[in-house]
Amino acid sequence: MTSTESEKLGRFALDLTLDAIPADVLTLAKEHFLDALGIALASSKFDFGEAILNGARALGEGTQATAIGSGARLPAPSAALVNGVLAHGLDFDDTHIGAVYHATSPALAAALAAGEANGSSGAEVLIAFTGALEIGCRLATVGAGAFHDRAFHPTSLCGTFAAAAVAGRLAKVDHETMTWALGLCGSQASGILERGTSWLKRLHPGWAAHCGLSAMALARAGFTGPNTVFEGGRGFYASHIQHIPTGDDLPSHDLGRTWQARGIALKPYPCCHFIHGFVDAALELRGKFDLADVERIECPLTPGLHKMVAEPRARCIRPTTPYQAMFSVQYVTAAALVQGRVDLATFFDEPLDAPAVLAVADKTHCVPDPASDYPRHFPGEVVVHLRDGRKLRVRKPASLGTQEVPLSRSGLEEKFLKNATRAIPPKTAEKLIAQIYALEEAPSLSEVMALCMADPLKSKLILARLANHEVREHA
């Protein structure tokens, strides 16, 4: 009999080896692993980080896995919930451009929780994490654009399956159990984009990781799931995008030979990835004119994205919350032109109603971009009209951090250190960088998680215990 899509994806997750992962994909996985850890550490110091931790504690007690930042011990699904929220909480985590999918947050949250719960080695965690990146990207690519058009968040939907794949790999389940878990994920995958002024979007990767681990727990207990979750007439794609893929469009097409994970882009700016091209363009234009001479600024934007990052206009030019600002082309472009940077301070440490920024935002207008090739790329263009009739224009077909314009290793590490040191000392953050780059050599995740604690004393005690254990092991 022909294998179903869930059977093929499950077998890929279970059978993947370190040698089978291309060197560049393995490097990408480590870099994105590190990137998300830094974001999670920074998020742990914000109010939403405290809230999700307290909510997870209320779900029940357990000590299987660690919450980043606090060092709290929780049941594995609850730790995955917390860490997924933290990794995505500042909207600073990566995006697979073609799939419009935040790949690392749900996969990392699941890998950390399942890795600790199963006592997995660093190599096993790295393999499982990399496999989950690939699976999530492939599932999301099938519905690229269509999920958003129907008000679904693909990170929350597809991240659930990726998390289950991680959990199954690290628990060393058989193929049938993995298939059952993926089938159960079809009914657990959820996430709508109606957020208002709430924290809803921050929840999605954490909820995906939580559900993925929960689905695997049920499957391991013998609770069966359908093996046709993807191609079934009432399955995941039929229900969410009303289209069932076939042939080359199937998630498993060329699996293991072509790596879609290569399309995951790092974020140099903590705002919606649709806006990054506009930031790059604005920063290049900055200094070439006097802001006082600006009559109008136009930002050509993919027509289908206006409702996400350019409307309603009144809210976009005068946001009242950080999240509103982070999802406004007008505000972020203005901040880049005025401040010469877009970073966490732009949204969280400085006033959102700075007169200079609001004045430029008021002159900034989003117009349709007929040349856009979204979702293949997220282009950005800034056109400045000056009072003397001159017009200055910069267009970015792809933004910094993508395959076309990669972020350097030094740029990645600078971003990590700025984020991580909001919670841990610089020396600890430097140690964490070294740990992740050599993750495949680690006997477990214990040292990594100990370094991810904001309490220096607690971290030192755990590291000392680990060191003493190693001494005894080699005695």
Side-chain angles (χ1 to χ4, degrees):
M1 293 181 62
T2 302
S3 295
T4 65
E5 286 298 287
S6 57
E7 289 169 343
K8 292 175 183 176
L9 294 173
R11 188 170 293 110
F12 170 78
L14 292 173
D15 296 348
L16 187 62
T17 64
L18 206 58
D19 291 341
I21 303 172
D24 66 308
V25 174
L26 197 63
T27 297
L28 177 148
K30 291 180 183 180
E31 291 179 344
H32 289 244
F33 194 112
L34 179 70
D35 180 60
L37 276 183
I39 298 162
L41 282 163
S43 293
S44 71
K45 308 305 288 185
F46 285 80
D47 48 2
F48 64 85
E50 180 180 0
I52 193 63
L53 176 61
N54 290 335
R57 280 174 165 154
L59 294 177
E61 297 181 353
T63 60
Q64 289 178 305
T66 307
I68 292 171
S70 66
R73 301 291 293 180
L74 299 166
S78 295
L81 170 63
V82 173
N83 293 337
V85 169
L86 296 180
H88 182 61
L90 298 172
D91 230 277
F92 212 174
D93 54 320
D94 59 32
T95 310
H96 186 284
I97 299 300
V100 199
Y101 168 69
H102 296 285
T104 292
S105 293
L108 177 69
L112 294 178
E116 282 196 280
N118 290 288
S120 305
S121 69
E124 273 295 314
V125 169
L126 184 57
I127 294 167
F129 169 68
T130 307
L133 290 181
E134 183 66 16
I135 288 171
C137 290
R138 285 172 169 272
L139 294 174
T141 296
V142 173
F147 285 126
H148 280 91
D149 288 345
R150 294 179 62 78
F152 289 120
H153 192 194
T155 302
S156 195
L157 303 180
C158 302
T160 304
F161 299 98
V166 168
R169 170 60 188 250
L170 294 178
K172 296 180 171 62
V173 302
D174 58 32
H175 289 117
E176 182 177 55
T177 301
M178 178 68 89
T179 302
W180 287 348
L182 293 174
L184 295 172
C185 283
S187 289
Q188 298 202 60
S190 62
I192 60 172
L193 289 167
E194 179 62 34
R195 65 178 184 272
T197 59
S198 76
W199 292 343
L200 176 68
K201 186 171 178 287
R202 290 177 165 125
L203 174 66
H204 287 166
W207 188 245
H210 178 277
C211 290
L213 265 67
S214 299
M216 183 52 65
L218 292 174
R220 292 181 70 188
F223 201 101
T224 65
N227 69 346
T228 53
V229 64
F230 298 118
E231 59 268 72
R234 297 181 179 182
F236 177 65
Y237 290 117
S239 59
H240 285 80
I241 62 173
Q242 296 184 336
H243 168 73
I244 301 174
T246 58
D248 291 355
D249 293 331
L250 288 168
S252 68
H253 175 68
D254 218 17
L255 182 63
R257 291 183 293 274
T258 300
W259 285 80
Q260 291 193 22
R262 290 187 172 111
I264 308 173
L266 290 165
K267 275 190 175 185
Y269 318 114
C271 59
C272 178
H273 225 141
F274 298 148
I275 302 175
H276 281 221
F278 297 95
V279 178
D280 290 340
L283 292 177
E284 186 172 319
L285 279 170
R286 189 174 187 269
K288 296 181 178 180
F289 58 91
D290 191 322
L291 287 171
D293 295 334
V294 173
E295 185 172 81
R296 177 184 172 90
I297 298 172
E298 292 181 347
C299 294
L301 175 67
T302 305
L305 299 182
H306 282 246
K307 60 185 177 182
M308 296 186 195
V309 291
E311 298 171 0
R313 176 171 168 76
R315 185 185 69 195
C316 286
I317 62 175
R318 282 177 173 75
T320 58
T321 69
Y323 233 65
Q324 287 180 356
M326 293 156 69
F327 279 75
S328 165
V329 171
Q330 298 95 320
Y331 186 87
V332 176
T333 300
L337 288 170
V338 172
Q339 300 170 346
R341 58 177 171 78
V342 174
D343 54 18
L344 289 180
T346 302
F347 305 104
F348 296 103
D349 300 338
E350 297 166 357
L352 294 175
D353 59 354
V357 175
L358 294 185
V360 176
D362 192 48
K363 297 178 181 179
T364 304
H365 300 265
C366 289
V367 298
D369 181 8
S372 172
D373 62 350
Y374 168 86
R376 180 172 295 177
H377 298 97
F378 303 163
E381 183 176 2
V382 176
V383 185
V384 179
H385 298 262
L386 300 175
R387 297 187 191 280
D388 62 8
R390 287 184 297 147
K391 184 166 64 174
L392 305 178
R393 178 195 305 265
V394 170
R395 183 176 180 87
K396 298 292 183 179
S399 59
L400 179 62
T402 61
Q403 274 185 294
E404 294 84 354
V405 195
L407 186 67
S408 66
R409 173 65 70 89
S410 62
L412 165 66
E413 292 180 4
E414 181 182 358
K415 174 189 173 181
F416 171 79
L417 290 171
K418 283 183 178 179
N419 286 330
T421 53
R422 282 177 171 255
I424 61 177
K427 287 186 178 179
T428 304
E430 293 280 2
K431 289 180 182 177
L432 198 48
I433 291 175
Q435 279 286 315
I436 301 308
Y437 287 160
L439 185 59
E440 66 270 38
E441 300 171 13
S444 72
L445 288 177
S446 297
E447 187 165 355
V448 167
M449 300 313 296
L451 292 170
C452 288
M453 294 181 187
D455 184 340
L457 180 58
K458 189 174 184 179
S459 179
K460 285 179 181 178
L461 288 172
I462 292 173
L463 290 170
R465 285 203 299 270
L466 290 171
N468 289 334
H469 176 74
E470 286 184 9
V471 169
R472 290 196 300 273
E473 285 287 307
H474 290 89

